[in-house]
Amino acid sequence: APHAGYRYSGATAAEVFSLVEGRAYSRVIVVAPSHRSGFHGLSIADVDAYETPLGRIPLDSEAVERLRKSELVTTDPVAHAREHAIEIELPMLQRSLVPGWRLVPILVGWLDAPDYPVVADLLRPLVDGDTLVVVSSDFTHFGPRFGYLPFPIDADTPAQVRTLDDGAVERIIAGDAEGLLEYQARTRITVCGLRP
């Protein structure tokens, strides 16, 4: 699901969350990129709930404590201080899902190649038929503002950006983690949720 402001991606996010509207889950794992801190591994805020204007969302404390046993899981207060990639998903989830679910909010920092299977092994036992996994990601951030201009800005730019994003999507759908990392290294695509 996208995490740009609702003004930019709200309609797309609403379309995404309509896929689970009215469904009941006991746990929702939101995996999101860190925009504010360059820590290694995963970070989970040291809180017992998140709160939106729609109410409090308690954390799944058992799942969080299980994850915290790993050396890859920390709490980086700087990363959580002004982050939006988890928070923006929460009101959509609150409106879409049957109440009663608990949250596992994970920010992803930088990871080395061997870390990805370790992270997958950490999360795999938490994912069952009662768990929804939301990956928070925007795709190509194109233009001088983002320092990413792999081709000129002209009438073909929208199609070229879509082709660039589609290359990442193909690898995600195929479950090709190594291929996705190679694609990013080759194209320098600015998918800010690439690690999640």
Side-chain angles (χ1 to χ4, degrees), residues 106-177:
I106 301 169
L107 282 183
V108 180
W110 59 272
L111 297 170
D112 294 319
D115 296 332
Y116 290 98
V118 173
V119 170
D121 288 344
L122 282 173
L123 296 178
R124 191 173 288 111
L126 301 178
V127 179
D128 56 24
D130 272 344
T131 301
L132 175 66
V133 178
V134 176
V135 177
S136 179
S137 181
D138 294 327
F139 276 79
T140 299
H141 291 57
F142 175 85
R145 178 176 162 217
F146 301 105
Y148 186 65
L149 288 158
F151 34 78
I153 299 173
D154 58 26
D156 295 329
T157 300
Q160 290 173 308
V161 170
R162 177 176 290 280
T163 298
L164 195 58
D165 282 348
D166 286 347
V169 170
E170 286 171 14
R171 286 154 179 87
I172 291 166
I173 290 171
D176 183 4

Side-chain angles (χ1 to χ4, degrees), residues 27-51:
R27 174 188 304 128
V28 176
I29 301 172
V30 178
V31 187
S34 172
H35 290 85
R36 306 277 179 207
S37 183
F39 64 91
H40 175 240
L42 311 178
S43 180
I44 301 174
D46 191 16
V47 298
D48 60 4
Y50 275 56
E51 189 167 6

Side-chain angles (χ1 to χ4, degrees), residues 88-118:
I88 201 160
E89 311 299 357
L90 302 180
M92 294 282 191
L93 288 162
Q94 287 174 295
R95 282 285 190 223
S96 299
L97 302 181
V98 172
W101 51 275
R102 296 182 332 157
L103 179 65
V104 179
I106 301 169
L107 282 183
V108 180
W110 59 272
L111 297 170
D112 294 319
D115 296 332
Y116 290 98
V118 173

